[in-house]
Amino acid sequence: MEEDLVERQRRHFDGIAAHYAKSRRDPNHLLLKDLIWSSFFAGKDFIPRECGRVLEPMCGLGEGHDILRRHLYRRDFSYLGFDYSLPMVEAARACRPELDFEHQDVSTFAAGGDPWDLVVLIGGLHHVYARCEAVIERLSAALRPGGYFLSFEPTHACWLTRKVWERIYARNALFDPATEQGFELDDLDGMFRRQGYRKVDQAYAGLAAYVLYYNPDAFPGLNLGGERAVRAAFWFDRLIWRRALGRKLAFATITLWQKG
């Protein structure tokens, strides 16, 4: 049954890969992503000094590489990305022939060779919801002690956001309700803590701007306005994205973990 779910998720994502790739080039999406990550990484200068080897599981088009390159790193770092969707891997290779991308399943990934300094996983764990803790354990085995795990996932921390996510997964064709699900934030945090991680930072980034502009492929009707609208929405988000109210209202959370 588990293998059937893995194959179902692969077929689903293969079917939406082209649409997904096109939506990631939307200018409002790109601007919001730039605002989110530049704000999150502000003051985290310790990471460039310590992380020279980066692994990006479920990499899609290599979004994690681009985020780190733009907002964090001031020198070269070695990088490997892998994804279970072959069309996505081929698209990533075509866009970035200078980078290493492999066709690989995160649920059977086995660490080998030198350990990695940083694992970056952007919106991937909810695609393997039923096997998430086992996936985190596998990836942790590839990470050196003291290394970092950067996670950005759909989450909920109150009944309202939980109900909204449940409705989205059930009714939006861009999601597969049989294999995908948002996380109760405490549950997701608990999976990392059980693997011996300590929380370095957490921001509840899935607020107004996220809802409107982060997923134009899934919610094109919300992608209204231009740069000024995106910046205004994000300004509001920043007021509460590390506060209790932000935690309650957020539909997604960024967390930086350090392995013990």
Side-chain angles (χ1 to χ4, degrees), residues 147-159:
Y148 297 91
F149 197 126
L150 178 63
S151 168
F152 188 12
E153 291 294 333
T155 58
H156 49 264
C158 75
W159 68 271

Side-chain angles (χ1 to χ4, degrees), residues 41-61:
F41 280 128
K44 294 182 174 65
D45 295 335
F46 58 92
I47 298 182
R49 296 195 301 271
E50 298 180 13
C51 297
R53 287 173 47 79
V54 175
L55 176 68
E56 184 175 10
M58 309 179 78
C59 64
L61 295 172

Side-chain angles (χ1 to χ4, degrees), residues 156-243:
H156 49 264
C158 75
W159 68 271
L160 177 61
T161 50
R162 182 180 69 252
K163 289 297 184 182
V164 171
W165 268 130
E166 288 174 354
R167 184 178 180 88
I168 289 170
Y169 280 106
R171 299 199 174 193
N172 193 300
L174 268 294
F175 301 96
D176 178 16
T179 58
E180 301 176 50
Q181 188 172 331
F183 293 96
E184 172 68 44
L185 182 53
D186 286 341
D187 291 346
L188 183 59
D189 283 355
M191 294 180 198
F192 279 93
R193 289 196 174 99
R194 285 191 290 275
Q195 294 301 319
Y197 287 92
R198 83 174 173 88
K199 188 184 296 181
V200 177
D201 192 17
Q202 189 165 74
Y204 314 116
L207 296 165
Y210 174 91
V211 170
L212 294 171
Y213 303 114
Y214 195 83
N215 295 290
D217 50 343
F219 312 111
L222 300 179
N223 188 25
L224 302 174
E227 178 179 348
R228 292 181 66 180
V230 176
R231 290 185 181 277
F234 183 70
W235 178 87
F236 168 77
D237 291 358
R238 281 293 312 279
L239 295 177
I240 62 171
W241 80 336
R242 284 191 173 92
R243 298 179 181 274

